Amino acid sequence: MIAAILVALVGLLHVYILVLEMFLWTGPRGQKAFGLTPDFARATKSLAANQGLYNGFLAAGLFWSVLHPVPEFAWQIAVFFLACVAVAGIYGAATASRKILFIQTLPAVIALLAVIFL
């Protein structure tokens, strides 16, 4: 139960990132979250929307793992998508901002450990 809650929370985090990147990128909230200037936000709006879509796919996979009726397969889905989130977070931390390590990677790793060991 704890593992499923943690997986769902990581999924919700990625829904929030989707909203920021797809819909709020050029607004004050998106610019603040990502440290953007208005000009840069406008110039990169379509790139950010693409990133947001990928975050939505990660969220969908995580929710799928929580809702799947076969526990063994749900476990495999959760491990796969949490590993994807963790790797994406490590790459983002290395290439964009170190804070991604704490915002994205750390929650995914905690949830992954819960899925594996609880």
Side-chain angles (χ1 to χ4, degrees), residues 43-111:
T44 58
K45 184 177 181 178
S46 63
L47 295 172
N50 188 44
Q51 287 179 184
L53 186 61
Y54 284 97
N55 278 292
F57 293 143
L58 292 172
L62 293 167
F63 294 138
W64 179 32
S65 77
V66 171
L67 298 172
H68 199 282
V70 179
E72 296 82 11
F73 190 52
W75 185 89
Q76 293 173 351
I77 297 167
V79 168
F80 173 78
F81 280 96
L82 289 168
C84 288
V85 169
V87 169
I90 291 167
Y91 184 79
T95 60
S97 171
R98 286 197 191 269
K99 74 179 186 176
I100 295 172
L101 195 65
F102 302 101
I103 293 170
Q104 184 174 340
T105 307
L106 185 60
V109 169
I110 291 169

